[in-house]
Each structure stands twice: as C-alpha cells, then as structure tokens.
Amino acid sequence: MADDMRAMDAPTDGPSDPGPRHVAIIMDGNGRWAAARGLPRAAGHKEGVAALKRTVRGCAGLGVRCLTVFGFSTENWRRPADEVSDLMGLVRSYVASDLTGLAKEGVRIRVLGRREGLPPDIAAIVRKAERDTAHNDRFLLQVAFNYGGQADIVDAARRHAERVLAGEAPVDISEADFGELLSTAGAPPLDLIVRTSGEVRLSNFLLWEAAYAELVFQDILWPDYGPEALKAAIDEYQARERRFGGRPAQTAITAQTAKAN
Ligand code: IPE
Ligand code: IPE
Ligand code: MG
C-alpha cells in the first residue's frame, strides 16, 4: 500500500510550488460550539462532519494533495459512553454518506489507528472505504480514528522487533525506514499541522511526523471551519521560512547584513 501512496508524493507544480502539500488538522471545539448554542454535544459533532466535508472539498483549490484529520484519539475512550458512541457515528455518517462522492472525485481514503477495539460495523465501513478508493491518486484523505501518536510509534517498534527476531531485519534501523513502519507510511511528508478552537497542544497527534511540520493554531471552533479558514492557515504557513536545522535562506542573511551595516 505504501508504494502506491508514493504517486502522491511527487511534486506536481515544480520547485516553485509553495505548498503545503500535506496538511493535518486537529478538529477541536465541537463541544464548545454546541454549548454556546445550548445544544447537545452531538449537535456539535454533526456540524463538525459538515465542516470536514467543506474543508476536504476546498483542498483542491488550495493545492493541498493530502489531508490528515484527527477524528478520534486513543484517549477519547475516556469520554462518557454516549459521547463515544456519537463520535463513532461520525465515521458512519461521514464515510458512509460521502463515500460515493469522494470516490468519484478521485479521493483515496485511508484510516490511521488501531483497528482492534473498533465496533465491527465501523471496521467494515473502514475496510470498504479503503478498498473502494484504493485506485484513486488525486488526493489522499487520512482519517485518524482510534489513533494515538505514541501507540503508532509503539506498534512500529513492535513490528521492527518482530522482523529482527525472525531474522528478517538487522537491529539498526534508519529514521526513514522506521517511518515506513508507521501507519502514515508512504504519505507525503507532513508540512503543516492546524489545530482549531484555540488549544495549543498536539494531544498525541502525529508525534513522529510532526518533527519539522509548521504549527498553526486558530481560534475558530471546528464546526465553523471551511476552505476560507484553511486558506488563512496556509497563508500563515507560506509566510514562514522552513529551515530544517539549516541556515536562514540567502535573502534573509542579506537583509540581516544590510541592517547591520
Ligand atoms: C473535537 O471536539 C471532536 C473530537 C474530540 C472528536 P471536542 O468534543 O473535543 O470539543 P471541545 O474541545 O469539548 O469543545
Ligand atoms: C484531540 O482533541 C482529539 C481529536 C480532535 C479527535 P481533544 O479535545 O480530545 O484533546 P484534549 O483532550 O483537549 O487535549
Ligand atoms: Mg476538545
């Protein structure tokens, strides 16, 4: 599967493409959106699904080739049973209701996270969505569901240990090869993480992949989100300089020198 994903890794617009190609969103604030309107939290989650649909459809016009969204964390099991069941319903209502449209629009769906523990009907919906869109390569939509960054790293470490014990791999492993054992293997490198609702933390999302991603925190609550808000996050991303541990670009150095003189 990872090999097929690599088609989406190829630059499409040449070296001048400012990106980001891969955006991840922590869709937060559904509960507060509902509370502000005197509605049950479930109403916020329902509007959250509508926001997701708008945002996915807006990606094409913004040059984004891969979107990864956080739908349910391994820690969200701590919520009351009725809310957990509402959140499970997000997958039913999003993937099941929108699958045909997404498949036609060239979207490939991939669900990140542990399959064990998912209700059987959700696991079946996930399998079907991945199978029905497997041939698509225009856009990759990764939905993190029952996902935790630490759990994903532990699972990858376990897989590596199993290979070593079976004599199939040496103990030594490079960062690049370890990345191939994560559930995001083969997706384009992560450029930008957005979190809505004003919270400023990662909450166990894409910990490995976040290494050099830019972070943008927006005050908007997730049910109010859409292409315009995503464009604002992308504008902020494009105004930054990514250095990956290197030196500032020559233009910045020249400007600094001019100032010093
Ligand atoms: C995000 O909204 C949805 C999920 C966690 C799935 P919340 O339910 O966390 O909403 P707030 O943070 O309580 O407002
Ligand atoms: C993170 O949001 C998980 C998702 C958006 C699915 P939370 O609302 O669960 O995060 P915390 O608990 O505020 O850190
Ligand atoms: Mg929250």
Side-chain angles (χ1 to χ4, degrees), residues 29-117:
N30 295 353
R32 277 162 282 171
W33 184 93
R37 286 160 182 76
L39 297 169
R41 292 178 68 86
H45 296 318
K46 189 163 171 248
E47 277 304 308
V49 170
L52 178 57
K53 289 183 183 178
R54 287 195 295 274
T55 306
V56 168
R57 299 226 144 75
C59 277
L62 295 166
V64 176
R65 305 258 295 153
C66 175
L67 180 72
T68 304
V69 293
F70 207 0
F72 189 87
S73 73
T74 45
E75 289 73 34
N76 285 147
W77 292 105
R78 294 178 188 154
R79 297 192 181 197
D82 61 335
E83 187 172 3
V84 167
S85 129
D86 288 340
L87 290 169
M88 292 292 151
L90 285 180
V91 170
R92 288 189 191 95
S93 62
Y94 178 65
V95 179
S97 77
D98 218 21
L99 181 60
T100 316
L102 291 171
K104 274 204 200 112
E105 288 162 37
V107 176
R108 179 171 190 168
I109 296 177
R110 184 192 213 190
V111 178
L112 313 178
R114 286 184 175 161
R115 299 293 158 95
E116 319 88 72

Side-chain angles (χ1 to χ4, degrees), residues 131-144:
R131 197 183 54 228
D132 288 1
T133 62
H135 54 282
N136 283 338
D137 63 2
R138 192 188 63 71
F139 185 81
L140 174 62
L141 173 63
Q142 302 190 113
V143 182

Side-chain angles (χ1 to χ4, degrees), residues 186-216:
L190 181 58
D191 298 307
L192 168 64
I193 298 183
V194 172
R195 183 169 188 148
T196 61
S197 88
E199 306 292 353
V200 186
R201 57 178 169 270
L202 290 178
S203 299
N204 202 11
F205 191 41
L206 300 176
L207 298 182
W208 175 278
E209 297 81 351
Y212 264 105
E214 294 295 324
L215 309 181
V216 170

